[in-house]
Amino acid sequence: MGKIIIKTAEQIEGIRKSSRLAAKTLDFAEQFVKPGVSTEFIDDKVEEFILKNNAVPAPKGYHGFPKASCISPNDVICHGIPSENTILQDGDIINIDITTILDGYYGDTSRMFTVGKISPAAEKLIDTTFHCLNLGIEQVKPGNRFGNIGFVINRYAKAKGFSVVYEFCGHGVGIEFHEEPQVDHASRKNTGAVMKPGMIFTIEPMINQGKSKADIDKNDGWTARTTDNKLSAQFEHTILVTETGYEVLTDIHEDYEIT
Ligand code: MF3
Ligand code: CO
Ligand code: CO
């Protein structure tokens, strides 16, 4: 096992700036989410926005990933590759996942967007997943153990009749894209490493309507889908452990103009 980095004040400020840009990029992307638009078009706009803000999209070239963002519709759990052939349709739910590198620092966040009118079942899945992330965030404070994040997320998702994806996890982030620790979204109470001020990591639960298992597309090597083709949803924030609790670094602040 590696070591969980405790970030310095200077590193925290850099990661905060990058995280806020990633969040603003999601705000910017929202205007393009409508029927008839390809996910590649959204990705192009996202890349332009990030570059214009003197940052770089971390996914591009990461282990060969070809695009600036991950865009994952409907039964895609995560790592959807933006494509000219993926055209948004009325009733779709999509996750857009943005990771920026600004002055060398990483910020990572994703949220769900809806296309036209979605079904009540899809809405319940999205609401539940959003609540799962927030329950996880509430567990962040010095002295608490990482396992309690996955414990509360899994308990709530199960109570709502959904399943937690266990093949992809949250992760330390900031100096690198993926650092220690691995943040599980289904875990046992009071297990795992102890949180300390200055740690920065993501919580990014992926919640499925049906079976929890993920299937990686054999052709592109990236796209993770549900095995039963039922819906999957995800929200992600980058979180700092403070002296008393947490700071959501990827929350929205007014430091960037959306243009
Ligand atoms: N942003 C994703 C995460 O939350 C990782 C994407 S890896 C990529 O960890 F290569 F697909 F971009
Ligand atoms: Co992440
Ligand atoms: Co992400």
Side-chain angles (χ1 to χ4, degrees):
M1 233 181 49
K3 222 174 156 302
I4 304 174
I5 302 169
I6 305 291
K7 272 83 176 180
T8 66
E10 186 184 332
Q11 290 169 335
I12 290 168
E13 187 49 28
I15 298 163
R16 183 182 285 119
K17 285 205 174 93
S18 189
S19 295
R20 289 182 182 186
L21 175 60
K24 270 296 181 207
T25 307
L26 284 175
D27 277 5
F28 170 77
E30 184 162 28
Q31 64 190 297
F32 306 111
V33 178
K34 45 188 182 212
V37 174
S38 75
T39 55
E40 182 176 69
F41 180 83
I42 299 171
D43 186 74
D44 286 345
K45 293 293 183 189
V46 155
E47 182 168 21
E48 220 175 87
F49 183 82
I50 292 171
L51 294 174
K52 216 166 74 184
N53 283 282
N54 307 311
V56 175
K60 204 158 193 178
Y62 182 77
H63 294 284
F65 192 82
K67 292 289 187 178
S69 62
C70 296
I71 305 187
S72 304
N74 301 324
D75 66 335
V76 179
I77 296 169
C78 64
H79 301 166
I81 302 176
S83 162
E84 58 178 342
N85 299 319
T86 306
I87 311 289
L88 299 182
Q89 290 180 38
D90 190 57
D92 283 350
I93 63 168
I94 69 167
N95 174 278
I96 304 181
D97 191 339
I98 303 291
T99 312
T100 48
I101 313 173
L102 179 65
D103 298 330
Y105 296 112
Y106 290 75
D108 189 6
T109 182
S110 85
R111 30 175 128 117
M112 298 302 293
F113 298 89
T114 58
V115 185
K117 193 172 161 48
I118 64 166
S119 70
E123 202 168 306
K124 181 187 167 195
L125 177 67
I126 291 174
D127 290 351
T128 300
T129 308
F130 184 69
H131 194 61
C132 281
L133 171 58
N134 289 328
L135 286 173
I137 291 171
E138 284 170 12
Q139 289 299 315
V140 179
K141 51 181 168 278
N144 200 7
R145 288 182 180 271
F146 279 94
N148 289 335
I149 295 172
F151 175 73
V152 296
I153 289 173
N154 188 45
R155 184 176 60 181
Y156 185 74
K158 272 173 107 171
K160 292 288 171 182
F162 297 132
S163 65
V164 174
V165 174
Y166 51 82
E167 288 153 285
F168 301 97
C169 304
H171 50 91
V173 67
I175 311 296
E176 308 279 348
F177 200 160
H178 294 105
E179 303 171 358
E180 294 275 331
Q182 179 177 308
V183 181
D184 294 330
H185 302 114
S187 40
R188 274 174 304 147
K189 209 171 176 165
N190 296 330
T191 59
V194 175
M195 297 175 212
K196 297 197 176 77
M199 289 181 177
I200 296 179
F201 52 87
T202 73
I203 305 176
E204 48 181 299
M206 286 145 273
I207 307 296
N208 291 353
Q209 251 183 344
K211 291 196 172 72
S212 132
K213 183 111 186 55
D215 225 4
I216 311 293
D217 190 297
K218 285 183 188 61
N219 296 309
D220 66 32
W222 282 102
T223 312
R225 286 191 190 80
T226 58
T227 53
D228 51 15
N229 295 115
K230 291 190 177 173
L231 297 175
S232 183
Q234 179 179 28
F235 287 86
E236 173 177 28
H237 270 313
T238 294
I239 314 290
L240 164 71
V241 185
T242 64
E243 294 296 329
T244 53
Y246 61 83
E247 178 183 337
V248 179
L249 297 180
T250 40
D251 258 350
I252 284 301
H253 291 80
E254 294 312 312
D255 341 12
Y256 288 94
E257 285 288 315
I258 309 179
T259 46

